[in-house]
Amino acid sequence: MSISPDISDSETSYHRLLRRQLRHADLSATETSAQWAHFLKIVSDTYFEVDRERRLLENALEVNAQELTEANTKLQLFINNAPAGIAMLDRDMRYLFASQRWLEDHRVKIEDIVGNSRDEVFPQMSDSWKDIYKRCLEGQSYRSDEDSITQPDGSINWIRWEIHPWLNSEGAVGGLIVMSENITARKHAEEEMRIASVAFESRDGMMVTDARGTILKINQAFTNATGFRAVDIVGKTPSVLKSDIHHDSIFYRNMWEAISREGRWEGNIWNRGANGKPNLQWLSISAIRESSGKVTHYLGTYSHVSDPKEAERKILELAFYDPLTNLPNRRLFYDRLHQALISSKRSGQFGAILLLDLDHFKEINDTRGHDVGDNLLIDVAHRVRSVLREMDSAARLGGDEFIVLLSGLGADLQPVLHTIRAVAEKLRTLIGEPFLLDGETHQVTSSVGVALFSDRDESADSLIKHADLALYHAKNTGRNNICFFNSVIQANFVERANLIKGLRRAVLDREFILHYQPQVNQQGQLIGAEALLRWQPAHAAMIMPDVFIPIAEESGQIGLIGAMVLDMACDQLALWACNPGTQNLVLAVNISAHQFRQPNFVASVIATLERTGVRPACLKLEITESLLLEDVEHVIKSMHRLKQIGIKFCIDDFGMGYSSLTYIKRLPLDEIKIDKSFVVNLASDAEDRAIVKVILTLASTLNLTVTAEGVETEFQRDFLSDQGCQVFQGYLFGSPTLMSQMQPLKDHW
């Protein structure tokens, strides 16, 4: 029975090519079935157990076209998912079939080989391969566990292969079946392992740990150097080598900070051997990462330092000096500061410490790389040393923080203060000059905190704490600044610490309340209100937001407070929705930039609306222009998500901040709010009137509503209304107060 030319409309291109080839060979269905049965037997005997399919094909001496198509489809699916590539050729070396894996390994397409001869597909085939094919056609089988083939692009692939003859219905060889497995990746891995194995058994001691620090492997050189055998140390951590008499916790902390930051660390270290005796070694630690960047292992390489004098010098360096800048480290500086305090107490002369920090140094590390950052720190150290007297001392405390000790400055306070300020100013100016690093110019500024000492009893720790407070104040007042510690700074610090502590309690005890200030339209009708946060501690005076909001942002509590405000505002909107007189009022809520940038902000807003059942159109979020200073694309995306559900947006204090028209044009805004600083002097200041006119014209062009805050007089209202302002807020219409005391809303109730 011959194969019908229209077996099925759903047959694959493979079936059509195979059917065309079978017609060309003039094979009957019975002969075709016999070929497939023999082919499947070879494949299954070599790789798989497919008895059911084999028996089906061996017994199918007479099959109709549909049965043959179904069997072929199953067989193709089975072979295409086999772990080896499979191809079938007839006696004339024409390809009858090839599995998907075989096609991928040889980088050819099915339509380019079926019906074509082996020599047409691979014209560069060697004579040795041709001889193997010839012998297989004579009934032999060949195999190789490892061989190489050259791809059309010149690359080399390694394969494991087998070639077997298949028999037709008459028992004669009808062609060949070729099976191959690509082992290139395995060969490369074996080569890398061989190279790594040779490198690992070097003259330097080596240790490999996992990401948690558990020792997995050491080499013979490590055993020779330390006396520890693999059986003694594998499964433990490198802490078994630790020599506490030479290194403190700060040394190890700095070492691992460098590894975490840069992926490597090297330097001299005192380790103990198996005999308990310490020995000086040069240690290099490298983090080994997978393609995703995750650390999987650490490799430590140990070199022995044998010169006793060199070892002694290294001991002093490790114990008392910063390895990057060669400045004294924290330990040596503390020792010198103790001596200076004792001397000052005896002589009555003043001294001072200057704590110096580079402004925005992290940005240089992040954008230019840690190598540039390290070179910058080295240059800063040189400049600091160049300013000081022989008797003065400078140290690097860590990171980008340096400290200077000035002693023996005299007993007269005013000349001493003048000298200290001159030194601090010279340091600040010198560090501010450009640095040339790797052919590029870099410039940084510095902030300096100063603390004086004299003959009073004062500890080194408290003195450094005072300098740190002064440094914080210098940074907080604009950076690139010098600040002397005094009682005001101390009082501010205590007040700030108390505020932070009080805020934590206030969040837990829900001590925050909302005041509401009405917003009216040009006809004087109430259209909504702004919710204004107040902190009402128990048994204490109310605290205004300009006092506690900056502290909440610095201490990381603004997210919790902001979520609490949004909950209270939506609860109020839910109450308004129950009364026809207030159900359409819009409530404006201020959102800080820090709160808006939180990853879950959009989800939390939506969840609050769903919990309270509030219509999104009744909620207006007021944001400031500072939100546009970072990650503008994320801000715009988040705003659009909330805008899609109906929430309104307003830019608060417009004109006081960034005011980028490019970004404002892209924001899904409904409204801008004129800052009250432009409203308060409208009657007397022509420039303020001009600014207000420009803002209103811009808003009209962008089709935005304008709210003016701080409206206190009828002149201000009338002028703003004449220029097109639609919404007004200020003491003329009502002061911020509790909802229970808000008269305009009571009238609506």
Side-chain angles (χ1 to χ4, degrees), residues 10 181 225 265 272 308 349 372 451 464 485 552 574 579 660 704 706 708:
S10 63
E181 180 184 0
W265 179 88
R272 73 174 185 89
Q349 295 196 41
V372 171
I464 290 178
F485 175 80
N579 188 289
S660 170
L704 297 174
V706 178

Side-chain angles (χ1 to χ4, degrees), residues 10 332 571 575 686:
S10 63
L332 180 55
D571 286 339
L575 291 175

Side-chain angles (χ1 to χ4, degrees), residues 519 527-531 566 573 586-591 615-623 646-651 670-671 673 705 707 727 729:
Q519 295 178 339
I527 60 172
E530 180 181 3
L566 194 62
L573 280 171
V586 175
L587 185 57
V589 179
N590 291 282
I591 303 295
R615 285 189 299 123
C618 292
L619 178 63
K620 178 168 60 180
L621 301 183
E622 292 194 359
I623 59 176
I647 290 177
K648 295 180 172 64
F649 280 99
C650 172
I651 287 283
D670 300 277
E671 180 181 314
K673 179 180 281 190
T705 300
T707 296
V727 183
Q729 176 182 339

Side-chain angles (χ1 to χ4, degrees), residues 93-108:
M93 291 291 95
R94 291 191 299 264
Y95 284 94
L96 301 176
F97 168 83
S99 70
Q100 187 61 37
R101 189 174 296 277
W102 190 92
L103 295 169
E104 292 173 356
D105 287 346
H106 290 79
R107 302 179 187 177
V108 293

Side-chain angles (χ1 to χ4, degrees), residues 1 34 43 63 73 119 189 263 268 271 299 327 361 407 421 442 474 480 487 491 508 522 532 535-536 551 570 712:
M1 180 175 67
V43 175
V63 294
T73 301
D119 293 336
N268 286 288
N271 280 330
L299 172 64
L327 287 177
F361 176 74
S407 57
R421 181 166 292 279
H442 302 271
N480 194 22
S487 58
L508 293 175
Q522 289 177 315
L532 299 168
W535 176 12
Q536 181 60 72
I551 302 297
C570 287
E712 299 180 359

